[in-house]
């Protein structure tokens, strides 16, 4: 359990003085809502698969039905859970600092449901579907069979970014601009293993930002950061935001 004394005073001071705060979140921020993180073992029917092996265009081409069902299951999980105090704290922080850019690698909509606005969805959104052939955004029902695109007849796929695919250009540009411009950068609940998202902290640091991580398991990148707070986001973020707002 993280206590208030674990939050470094200079980080609170930097946040109070900040003109622009950039926050990048990963699966860990949704863990306390009950959404499994990406790299922990899966459960139930999916226990025999590694998430990394399912989240690729090759996996979809090999077995569209399997991948479609996996994402429908993940979508159901996201629908059934609620945002946790970490999500709400970030929405609150946006009302305290002059400018906040929130970039998430999560596709579960929980930041938005907690009240965060203009969230940059780095890896897309699980509640959006797209045509695998022509890329157009489509709305499919909850069928477990792979629906077809009404325009071209191609299979529909979830509107997320898979390994080996490009980050949406707008999301990439806006995130990079925020990392360059911000004066405090927070990396929360991410293993920082997947690039380009993991590179944003370095961009921020190169451009003079104070960089901090919130993660119960410090990542390999954390040794290079200014601060690494070893606690869960649902505990640390509300405390941090309380201090900043004092
Ligand atoms: P990971 O599953 O790789 O990492 C989750 C991180 O959250 C780990 O470092 C955990 O220690 C940390 N964590 C666990 N519980 C936490 C809590 N309560 N509070 C704070 N941190 C906690 O997830 P990501 O880093 O998000 O991309 O993975 C990045 C990307 O890899 C995902 O967006 C996905 C995946 O491949 C694509 O699908 C393209």
């Amino acid at each position: 359990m993280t206590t208030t004394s674990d939050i470094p005073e200079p980080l609170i001071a930097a946040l109070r003085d900040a003109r622009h705060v950039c926050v990048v979140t990963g699966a860990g921020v949704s863990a306390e809502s009950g959404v499994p993180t990406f790299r922990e073992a899966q459960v139930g029917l999916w226990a025999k698969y590694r998430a990394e092996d399912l989240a690729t265009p090759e996996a979809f081409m090999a077995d569209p039905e399997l991948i479609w069902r996996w994402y429908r299951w993940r979508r159901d999980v996201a629908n059934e859970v609620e945002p946790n105090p970490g999500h709400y704290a970030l929405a609150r922080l946006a009302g305290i600092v002059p400018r906040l850019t929130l970039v998430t690698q999560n596709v579960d909509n929980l930041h938005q449901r907690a009240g965060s606005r203009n969230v940059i969805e780095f890896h897309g959104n699980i509640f959006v579907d797209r045509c695998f052939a022509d890329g157009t955004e489509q709305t499919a029902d909850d069928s477990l069979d792979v629906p077809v695109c009404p325009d071209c007849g191609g299979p529909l796929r979830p509107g997320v970014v898979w390994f080996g695919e490009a980050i949406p250009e707008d999301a990439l540009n806006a995130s990079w601009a925020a990392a360059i411009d911000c004066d405090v950068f927070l990396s929360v609940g991410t293993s920082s293993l997947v690039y380009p998202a993991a590179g944003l902290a370095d961009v921020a640091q190169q451009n003079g930002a104070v960089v901090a991580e919130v993660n119960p398991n410090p990542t390999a990148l954390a040794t290079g950061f200014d601060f690494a707070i070893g606690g869960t986001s649902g505990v640390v973020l509300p405390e941090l935001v309380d201090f900043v707002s004092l």
Side-chain angles (χ1 to χ4, degrees):
M1 177 86 172
T2 301
T3 64
T4 47
S5 58
D6 292 326
I7 298 181
E9 187 58 46
L11 175 60
I12 297 164
L15 281 163
R16 282 190 186 136
D17 290 346
R19 185 183 41 82
H20 183 182
V21 177
C22 181
V23 185
V24 173
T25 65
V29 99
S30 295
E32 284 152 283
S33 292
V35 182
T37 61
F38 217 80
R39 284 173 179 76
E40 68 191 359
Q42 302 205 88
V43 294
L45 285 176
W46 302 103
K48 62 182 172 189
Y49 301 101
R50 288 171 68 234
E52 294 97 313
D53 296 335
L54 298 177
T56 70
E58 291 77 19
F60 184 77
M61 283 187 278
D63 192 344
E65 212 81 18
L66 175 78
I67 305 308
W68 183 260
R69 284 171 191 224
W70 184 56
Y71 276 96
R72 278 304 192 249
W73 169 74
R74 291 183 59 201
R75 188 157 119 162
D76 287 346
V77 171
N79 247 334
E80 284 159 12
V81 300
E82 298 298 328
N84 68 58
H87 296 110
Y88 287 112
L90 290 177
R92 193 151 62 92
L93 185 59
I96 295 170
V97 298
R99 183 171 171 209
L100 183 134
T101 301
L102 177 55
V103 182
T104 189
Q105 297 168 84
N106 300 343
V107 296
D108 57 24
N109 247 5
L110 288 176
H111 283 303
Q112 293 87 336
R113 285 173 57 197
S116 285
R117 298 282 163 257
N118 305 316
V119 180
I120 298 177
E121 296 175 327
F122 212 75
H123 290 160
N125 189 309
I126 206 167
F127 294 96
V128 171
D129 299 308
R130 288 191 184 286
C131 174
F132 188 71
D134 67 23
T136 53
E137 195 172 312
Q138 302 288 346
T139 304
D141 61 20
D142 278 335
S143 161
L144 290 178
D145 300 323
V146 182
V148 293
C149 173
D151 300 333
C152 77
L156 296 193
R157 54 162 289 176
V160 302
V161 176
W162 282 329
F163 286 108
E165 294 186 318
I167 305 302
E169 202 180 330
D170 288 356
L172 191 62
N173 291 341
S175 306
W176 236 253
I180 290 170
D181 183 64
C182 71
D183 19 39
V184 178
F185 182 97
L186 302 177
S187 174
V188 185
T190 175
S191 55
S192 294
L193 291 171
V194 177
Y195 284 80
L200 288 167
D202 189 45
V203 171
Q205 204 158 30
Q206 301 279 336
N207 285 278
V210 170
V211 178
E213 175 182 274
V214 177
N215 195 315
N217 310 300
T219 67
L221 296 190
T223 49
F225 293 165
D226 298 293
F227 305 103
I229 305 176
T232 68
S233 49
V235 172
V236 172
L237 293 178
E239 283 186 3
L240 183 62
V241 176
D242 281 350
F243 277 120
V244 176
S245 65
L246 284 180

